[in-house]
Structure formats: C-alpha cells, structure tokens
Amino acid sequence: MRTRSRIAGVSKPVIRYVLILAVLALAVSHYTVWPPDTMLMLTLLVCAGLGQFRAFTRHLVPFIVLFALYSVASSVADDINPNVHYLPMAHFDEWLGGGRLPTSHLQDLLWNGHVRWYDYYFYVLYTAHFVAPVVLALFLWKRRGQLYWSYLASLGLLSLSAFLTYVLFPAAPPWMSSSYGYIEPIHRVSYDIWTAVGIDSPDTLYSKLSPNLVAAVPSLHSAFPLLIFLFLVRSFGLRRVWWAALYPVSMWVGVVYLGEHYVFDVLCAIAYTAAAATIGTALARRFTPRLPSPDGTTPKAPSAAPPKVAEVPTLTRTSPAEAPQD
C-alpha cells in the first residue's frame, strides 16, 4: 500500500506537467504571435495545473485583463482621431541627426542588404513586447510580492497614458512616413527578418503585433523594457542587475534601426515611464493595505486600540500613629 501511494503521489504531478507542456506545445505550433486573450488562457492553464488557480485569479487576472483591454482599446484608437501626424517627429530627429534621420545613420552602419545575427537579436526583443512584462509579473508575484502592486499600477498608468496620447496625437512610424514620401527613403528591415524566418505574409503578422499602425508616440516597445529594468533594480539593487540595462538600450537602438520608431518616440517613452513608475508606486503604497497580499490572503484591518482601563486610586498605608482614634 505504501509503495502504491508513493507511486501515485509521484505520477500525478508528472502527468500534470506533461499535459501542460503538451498543450503549450500545441499552442505554440498554432500561434506565431500570442494575442493577449490567448496568453490569458495559457497562463490560467499553467497556474491551475500547478495548483495556483485561486492565487492566479486574485493577482494575475487583473494583470492579463489590463493587456487585453489595452489591445482592444489600441485597435480602435486610430478610428477616433483620423488626423495622423507624419512630420513633427521626423523634424526633431533630423535636427538631432544633423540633417539626416538617425534611422538612416544606423542603417548605413548596420544594414548591407542581408539579414545578420544582430537583426535577429533586435527581432526577438521586438516580438517579446507582451511576453517580457508577464514574465516579470510572475516573478514579482512569487518572489517580490511587496513590489507586485506597484508594478501593476505603474504598468497600468503607462498603458493608459500611452492610449490617451494615441487618441490625441496619432503618429506615423518612420517606415510609414517613408512609404508615403514624407521623409527620406528608409529600408524596413523587419520585413526582411520576417521573410528570413519563413513568414509568408509580414503584413498579417504586423497587424497582430500592432493593431494600431499610428501608435508611435510614445513607443511602448521602448517603455516596457525600461519599466522592467527599474523594477529589477528595485528587486535586486543596481550592483547586481546593472547588466540588465542592455535590454532597454538594445530595444531603443533596435526600434530606431528597424525603422519602427523615431528617437523622438523613444525619448517620450522614457519620460512616460519615469512618470508612471513614480506615480504608480505612490498609489500602490497608499492602497496596498486594501489589496490581496502575495500569499493570497486579504490583509486584515488593523485592530482597534485596547480600551483604556480606568485608573485605580493608589492606596497608601498609614502608620499606627496616624490611624484615626475612636
């Protein structure tokens, strides 16, 4: 009996993990890019399989719902305001680049008509746009719970402020402005990378990655890596994770080189991220006592102070000589 129970105790987790891996492998084979709703279902499956269903619903569902709402809102932002801006960002970049776009300078230096290893490097970073924030959220949830709600608030404010900017100031990326003749000709390196990895219809892929084609200012592809780096520093300290700064810096260089964003877009993303992290952290500190704690329990309200006990008069002894006489 003991042997049978031991075998059963081992086999159940193994079967559970095998099933999870099988479903994930099936999903990967059918989705070149995971939309937020697909990511929600896969994460729900993994957490439920690991026995974390209740904790997931209390902590991570709000996070994934945030991404889903942003994806839906971003896809309609360009329908709200059709006045697309093509030149303000380009004029700033031309001033910064001494009369030429920094994109042109980078492509003269790095692009020679063939896809190189660094092109794939920039491509992987670019397509990890939605995956990296989820990975950090999982880490903070399990290992740095005191930072989780600060991170979620900062990410929410960053996404909301970006969405409002997309509505008020629709901005075309460099590749679109170049294709319409507003700026000097630049090469869209992303198309060559997608073709090199076997994607037959790059336009279809890009519509999944970016449903709003005129959402360039600020560049969230540049903002999310910086936010991730800031919270890694808060988790481990700058001395231990200084090397992680390579992630946002590489993304900034990559989006400009690929022709997806101007330097102007990247600078706006840095400013937006700094403001969102500051305000989001302040809001989280104020409301964290009302939110679920990392272990899945709801924090209890501080107990009321114990009632004051009435003071008892001090009894003094009197000497026999001072005692009242009958």
Side-chain angles (χ1 to χ4, degrees):
M1 293 293 293
R2 183 177 300 178
T3 303
R4 182 179 301 176
S5 61
R6 183 179 301 174
I7 294 175
V10 174
S11 61
K12 288 182 179 179
V14 171
I15 294 175
R16 184 192 308 169
Y17 297 148
V18 169
L19 289 176
I20 292 174
L21 291 175
V23 174
L24 289 176
L26 183 64
V28 171
S29 64
H30 281 76
Y31 287 95
T32 305
V33 179
W34 289 2
D37 55 347
T38 304
M39 190 182 302
L40 169 63
M41 297 306 298
L42 291 175
T43 309
L44 178 61
L45 171 67
V46 172
C47 291
L50 297 177
Q52 299 288 323
F53 182 82
R54 181 178 179 183
F56 172 83
T57 56
R58 294 172 65 87
H59 291 82
L60 293 184
V61 163
F63 178 83
I64 305 296
V65 168
L66 169 66
F67 268 99
L69 291 176
Y70 171 79
S71 179
V72 173
S74 179
S75 63
V76 300
D78 54 341
D79 297 327
I80 299 176
N81 185 357
N83 299 318
V84 180
H85 297 79
Y86 293 93
L87 293 177
M89 306 77 63
H91 289 163
F92 176 87
D93 273 35
E94 288 174 349
W95 168 80
L96 190 66
R100 291 192 69 201
L101 295 174
T103 299
S104 298
H105 288 299
L106 286 174
Q107 291 189 354
D108 289 344
L109 180 64
L110 300 175
W111 178 251
N112 62 355
H114 303 283
V115 178
R116 299 293 186 90
W117 65 267
Y118 47 79
D119 297 316
Y120 292 110
Y121 171 69
F122 293 134
Y123 166 79
V124 170
L125 293 182
Y126 189 81
T127 54
H129 176 56
F130 283 110
V131 177
V134 175
V135 172
L136 181 63
L138 289 170
F139 168 77
L140 294 177
W141 171 44
K142 300 302 293 184
R143 300 297 182 183
R144 297 292 189 275
Q146 72 278 10
L147 296 176
Y148 177 76
W149 292 113
S150 296
Y151 175 67
L152 182 61
S154 301
L155 189 67
L157 287 174
L158 180 58
S159 301
L160 176 61
S161 59
F163 167 73
L164 293 177
T165 306
Y166 299 156
V167 173
L168 299 175
F169 188 82
W175 64 264
M176 179 181 291
S177 298
S178 176
S179 64
Y180 290 158
Y182 286 97
I183 61 175
E184 59 189 278
I186 61 172
H187 185 72
R188 195 177 184 188
V189 183
S190 302
Y191 265 37
D192 294 84
I193 301 173
W194 292 332
T195 302
V197 297
I199 297 175
D200 298 328
S201 53
D203 289 325
T204 302
L205 172 63
Y206 194 82
S207 65
K208 293 181 180 179
L209 289 173
S210 181
N212 184 1
L213 299 181
V214 291
V217 179
S219 166
L220 282 186
H221 279 86
S222 302
F224 284 175
L226 178 59
L227 186 66
I228 290 173
F229 174 69
L230 293 177
F231 275 86
L232 285 177
V233 171
R234 294 182 62 183
S235 300
F236 297 102
L238 182 59
R239 290 185 178 182
R240 297 181 62 184
V241 295
W242 59 267
W243 50 268
L246 182 64
Y247 176 35
V249 173
S250 297
M251 182 68 81
W252 300 341
V253 175
V255 295
V256 175
Y257 161 65
L258 297 175
E260 300 295 336
H261 286 283
Y262 295 99
V263 175
F264 179 86
D265 309 342
V266 175
L267 295 178
C268 288
I270 295 174
Y272 275 59
T273 304
T278 302
I279 300 174
T281 299
L283 290 175
R285 287 176 179 174
R286 180 175 182 180
F287 294 102
T288 294
R290 306 178 185 178
L291 299 172
S293 60
D295 59 2
T297 60
T298 304
K300 297 180 179 179
S303 56
K308 293 184 178 180
V309 180
E311 296 183 358
V312 179
T314 305
L315 299 177
T316 57
R317 290 188 177 183
T318 57
S319 61
E322 297 176 352
Q325 302 294 328
D326 293 337

Short mmCIF file of all heavy atoms in Angstrom, two decimals, residues 104-132:
data_model
loop_
_atom_site.label_atom_id
_atom_site.label_comp_id
_atom_site.label_asym_id
_atom_site.label_seq_id
_atom_site.Cartn_x
_atom_site.Cartn_y
_atom_site.Cartn_z
N SER A 104 18.53 56.51 -40.68
CA SER A 104 19.37 56.39 -41.87
C SER A 104 20.84 56.17 -41.49
O SER A 104 21.53 55.37 -42.13
CB SER A 104 19.23 57.66 -42.72
OG SER A 104 17.90 57.83 -43.16
N HIS A 105 21.29 56.87 -40.46
CA HIS A 105 22.66 56.67 -40.00
C HIS A 105 22.89 55.23 -39.55
O HIS A 105 23.91 54.60 -39.88
CB HIS A 105 22.97 57.64 -38.85
CG HIS A 105 23.12 59.06 -39.28
ND1 HIS A 105 24.09 59.48 -40.17
CD2 HIS A 105 22.42 60.17 -38.93
CE1 HIS A 105 23.98 60.79 -40.34
NE2 HIS A 105 22.98 61.23 -39.60
N LEU A 106 21.95 54.68 -38.78
CA LEU A 106 22.09 53.31 -38.28
C LEU A 106 22.03 52.30 -39.42
O LEU A 106 22.78 51.31 -39.43
CB LEU A 106 21.01 53.01 -37.24
CG LEU A 106 21.20 53.66 -35.87
CD1 LEU A 106 19.97 53.40 -34.98
CD2 LEU A 106 22.45 53.14 -35.19
N GLN A 107 21.14 52.52 -40.37
CA GLN A 107 21.03 51.57 -41.48
C GLN A 107 22.26 51.63 -42.39
O GLN A 107 22.67 50.61 -42.94
CB GLN A 107 19.75 51.83 -42.27
CG GLN A 107 18.50 51.47 -41.49
CD GLN A 107 17.24 51.50 -42.34
OE1 GLN A 107 17.25 51.90 -43.51
NE2 GLN A 107 16.12 51.09 -41.74
N ASP A 108 22.86 52.82 -42.53
CA ASP A 108 24.12 52.90 -43.28
C ASP A 108 25.23 52.11 -42.59
O ASP A 108 26.10 51.53 -43.25
CB ASP A 108 24.55 54.36 -43.43
CG ASP A 108 23.66 55.14 -44.38
OD1 ASP A 108 22.90 54.49 -45.14
OD2 ASP A 108 23.70 56.38 -44.35
N LEU A 109 25.16 52.08 -41.26
CA LEU A 109 26.20 51.40 -40.49
C LEU A 109 25.97 49.90 -40.38
O LEU A 109 26.92 49.10 -40.44
CB LEU A 109 26.27 52.02 -39.09
CG LEU A 109 27.29 51.44 -38.11
CD1 LEU A 109 28.71 51.69 -38.61
CD2 LEU A 109 27.10 52.04 -36.72
N LEU A 110 24.70 49.47 -40.24
CA LEU A 110 24.41 48.07 -39.91
C LEU A 110 23.77 47.27 -41.03
O LEU A 110 23.90 46.03 -41.05
CB LEU A 110 23.48 48.03 -38.67
CG LEU A 110 24.02 48.66 -37.39
CD1 LEU A 110 22.95 48.65 -36.29
CD2 LEU A 110 25.26 47.93 -36.92
N TRP A 111 23.05 47.92 -41.93
CA TRP A 111 22.31 47.16 -42.95
C TRP A 111 23.09 47.14 -44.26
O TRP A 111 23.45 48.19 -44.81
CB TRP A 111 20.94 47.77 -43.17
CG TRP A 111 20.14 47.07 -44.23
CD1 TRP A 111 19.82 47.54 -45.47
CD2 TRP A 111 19.57 45.76 -44.15
NE1 TRP A 111 19.08 46.62 -46.17
CE2 TRP A 111 18.91 45.51 -45.38
CE3 TRP A 111 19.54 44.78 -43.17
CZ2 TRP A 111 18.24 44.32 -45.65
CZ3 TRP A 111 18.88 43.60 -43.43
CH2 TRP A 111 18.24 43.37 -44.64
N ASN A 112 23.35 45.92 -44.77
CA ASN A 112 24.05 45.79 -46.04
C ASN A 112 23.28 44.95 -47.06
O ASN A 112 23.87 44.42 -47.99
CB ASN A 112 25.44 45.18 -45.81
CG ASN A 112 25.36 43.78 -45.21
OD1 ASN A 112 24.26 43.30 -44.89
ND2 ASN A 112 26.49 43.13 -45.07
N GLY A 113 21.97 44.82 -46.84
CA GLY A 113 21.15 44.08 -47.78
C GLY A 113 20.89 42.64 -47.40
O GLY A 113 20.11 41.96 -48.07
N HIS A 114 21.54 42.17 -46.34
CA HIS A 114 21.37 40.79 -45.88
C HIS A 114 21.12 40.79 -44.38
O HIS A 114 21.67 41.61 -43.64
CB HIS A 114 22.60 39.94 -46.22
CG HIS A 114 22.94 39.92 -47.67
ND1 HIS A 114 22.24 39.16 -48.59
CD2 HIS A 114 23.90 40.58 -48.38
CE1 HIS A 114 22.76 39.34 -49.80
NE2 HIS A 114 23.77 40.20 -49.69
N VAL A 115 20.30 39.84 -43.93
CA VAL A 115 19.98 39.74 -42.51
C VAL A 115 21.19 39.18 -41.76
O VAL A 115 21.74 38.14 -42.13
CB VAL A 115 18.75 38.83 -42.30
CG1 VAL A 115 18.45 38.68 -40.81
CG2 VAL A 115 17.54 39.41 -43.02
N ARG A 116 21.61 39.88 -40.72
CA ARG A 116 22.73 39.46 -39.88
C ARG A 116 22.20 39.00 -38.52
O ARG A 116 21.01 39.12 -38.21
CB ARG A 116 23.71 40.62 -39.69
CG ARG A 116 24.35 41.13 -40.99
CD ARG A 116 25.27 40.09 -41.59
NE ARG A 116 26.01 40.59 -42.74
CZ ARG A 116 27.20 41.19 -42.67
NH1 ARG A 116 27.77 41.37 -41.50
NH2 ARG A 116 27.80 41.61 -43.77
N TRP A 117 23.14 38.48 -37.69
CA TRP A 117 22.75 37.95 -36.38
C TRP A 117 22.11 39.01 -35.50
O TRP A 117 21.16 38.72 -34.75
CB TRP A 117 23.97 37.35 -35.67
CG TRP A 117 25.04 38.36 -35.32
CD1 TRP A 117 26.12 38.69 -36.05
CD2 TRP A 117 25.08 39.16 -34.12
NE1 TRP A 117 26.86 39.67 -35.41
CE2 TRP A 117 26.25 39.96 -34.22
CE3 TRP A 117 24.28 39.29 -33.00
CZ2 TRP A 117 26.62 40.88 -33.24
CZ3 TRP A 117 24.64 40.20 -32.01
CH2 TRP A 117 25.80 40.98 -32.14
N TYR A 118 22.60 40.26 -35.59
CA TYR A 118 22.03 41.31 -34.73
C TYR A 118 20.62 41.69 -35.19
O TYR A 118 19.83 42.21 -34.39
CB TYR A 118 22.94 42.53 -34.67
CG TYR A 118 23.48 43.01 -36.00
CD1 TYR A 118 22.68 43.78 -36.85
CD2 TYR A 118 24.77 42.73 -36.39
CE1 TYR A 118 23.16 44.23 -38.06
CE2 TYR A 118 25.28 43.18 -37.60
CZ TYR A 118 24.46 43.93 -38.44
OH TYR A 118 24.95 44.38 -39.65
N ASP A 119 20.29 41.43 -36.45
CA ASP A 119 18.92 41.67 -36.89
C ASP A 119 17.95 40.73 -36.18
O ASP A 119 16.86 41.14 -35.76
CB ASP A 119 18.82 41.50 -38.40
CG ASP A 119 19.66 42.50 -39.17
OD1 ASP A 119 19.63 43.68 -38.81
OD2 ASP A 119 20.35 42.09 -40.12
N TYR A 120 18.36 39.47 -36.05
CA TYR A 120 17.54 38.52 -35.29
C TYR A 120 17.46 38.91 -33.83
O TYR A 120 16.42 38.73 -33.18
CB TYR A 120 18.12 37.11 -35.42
CG TYR A 120 18.01 36.52 -36.80
CD1 TYR A 120 19.13 36.33 -37.59
CD2 TYR A 120 16.77 36.15 -37.33
CE1 TYR A 120 19.05 35.79 -38.86
CE2 TYR A 120 16.67 35.61 -38.60
CZ TYR A 120 17.82 35.43 -39.37
OH TYR A 120 17.71 34.90 -40.62
N TYR A 121 18.55 39.41 -33.29
CA TYR A 121 18.57 39.85 -31.89
C TYR A 121 17.53 40.95 -31.67
O TYR A 121 16.73 40.88 -30.72
CB TYR A 121 19.97 40.35 -31.55
CG TYR A 121 20.11 41.02 -30.21
CD1 TYR A 121 19.98 40.30 -29.02
CD2 TYR A 121 20.38 42.38 -30.13
CE1 TYR A 121 20.12 40.93 -27.79
CE2 TYR A 121 20.52 43.02 -28.91
CZ TYR A 121 20.39 42.29 -27.74
OH TYR A 121 20.53 42.91 -26.52
N PHE A 122 17.55 41.96 -32.52
CA PHE A 122 16.56 43.04 -32.40
C PHE A 122 15.14 42.52 -32.64
O PHE A 122 14.18 42.97 -32.00
CB PHE A 122 16.88 44.16 -33.38
CG PHE A 122 18.14 44.91 -33.07
CD1 PHE A 122 19.05 45.20 -34.08
CD2 PHE A 122 18.44 45.32 -31.79
CE1 PHE A 122 20.22 45.89 -33.82
CE2 PHE A 122 19.61 46.01 -31.50
CZ PHE A 122 20.51 46.29 -32.51
N TYR A 123 15.00 41.55 -33.54
CA TYR A 123 13.69 40.99 -33.85
C TYR A 123 13.10 40.26 -32.64
O TYR A 123 11.93 40.42 -32.31
CB TYR A 123 13.82 40.04 -35.03
CG TYR A 123 12.63 39.14 -35.26
CD1 TYR A 123 11.49 39.60 -35.89
CD2 TYR A 123 12.65 37.81 -34.83
CE1 TYR A 123 10.40 38.78 -36.09
CE2 TYR A 123 11.56 36.98 -35.03
CZ TYR A 123 10.44 37.46 -35.66
OH TYR A 123 9.37 36.64 -35.85
N VAL A 124 13.93 39.47 -31.95
CA VAL A 124 13.46 38.74 -30.78
C VAL A 124 13.02 39.71 -29.69
O VAL A 124 11.97 39.53 -29.06
CB VAL A 124 14.55 37.78 -30.26
CG1 VAL A 124 14.15 37.20 -28.91
CG2 VAL A 124 14.79 36.66 -31.26
N LEU A 125 13.81 40.74 -29.46
CA LEU A 125 13.43 41.73 -28.45
C LEU A 125 12.11 42.41 -28.82
O LEU A 125 11.26 42.65 -27.95
CB LEU A 125 14.54 42.77 -28.30
CG LEU A 125 15.86 42.31 -27.72
CD1 LEU A 125 16.83 43.48 -27.61
CD2 LEU A 125 15.68 41.65 -26.36
N TYR A 126 11.96 42.73 -30.08
CA TYR A 126 10.76 43.44 -30.52
C TYR A 126 9.51 42.59 -30.34
O TYR A 126 8.46 43.09 -29.92
CB TYR A 126 10.93 43.86 -31.98
CG TYR A 126 9.85 44.79 -32.48
CD1 TYR A 126 9.91 46.16 -32.21
CD2 TYR A 126 8.77 44.31 -33.23
CE1 TYR A 126 8.92 47.02 -32.67
CE2 TYR A 126 7.79 45.17 -33.70
CZ TYR A 126 7.87 46.51 -33.41
OH TYR A 126 6.88 47.36 -33.86
N THR A 127 9.59 41.31 -30.67
CA THR A 127 8.42 40.44 -30.58
C THR A 127 8.14 39.98 -29.16
O THR A 127 7.08 39.41 -28.90
CB THR A 127 8.60 39.21 -31.48
OG1 THR A 127 9.82 38.55 -31.16
CG2 THR A 127 8.62 39.63 -32.94
N ALA A 128 9.09 40.22 -28.22
CA ALA A 128 8.86 39.86 -26.82
C ALA A 128 8.13 40.97 -26.07
O ALA A 128 8.12 40.99 -24.85
CB ALA A 128 10.19 39.56 -26.13
N HIS A 129 7.50 41.86 -26.82
CA HIS A 129 6.87 43.05 -26.24
C HIS A 129 5.85 42.71 -25.16
O HIS A 129 5.82 43.34 -24.10
CB HIS A 129 6.22 43.85 -27.37
CG HIS A 129 5.45 45.04 -26.92
ND1 HIS A 129 6.01 46.04 -26.16
CD2 HIS A 129 4.17 45.41 -27.12
CE1 HIS A 129 5.10 46.98 -25.92
NE2 HIS A 129 3.97 46.61 -26.49
N PHE A 130 5.00 41.71 -25.41
CA PHE A 130 3.97 41.35 -24.44
C PHE A 130 4.42 40.25 -23.49
O PHE A 130 3.84 40.09 -22.41
CB PHE A 130 2.69 40.90 -25.16
CG PHE A 130 1.88 42.02 -25.72
CD1 PHE A 130 1.79 42.22 -27.08
CD2 PHE A 130 1.20 42.89 -24.88
CE1 PHE A 130 1.04 43.27 -27.61
CE2 PHE A 130 0.45 43.94 -25.38
CZ PHE A 130 0.37 44.13 -26.76
N VAL A 131 5.42 39.49 -23.87
CA VAL A 131 5.85 38.36 -23.04
C VAL A 131 6.67 38.81 -21.84
O VAL A 131 6.46 38.35 -20.71
CB VAL A 131 6.64 37.36 -23.90
CG1 VAL A 131 7.15 36.20 -23.03
CG2 VAL A 131 5.77 36.83 -25.03
N ALA A 132 7.62 39.73 -22.07
CA ALA A 132 8.53 40.14 -21.00
C ALA A 132 7.80 40.74 -19.80
O ALA A 132 8.13 40.40 -18.65
CB ALA A 132 9.56 41.13 -21.55
#
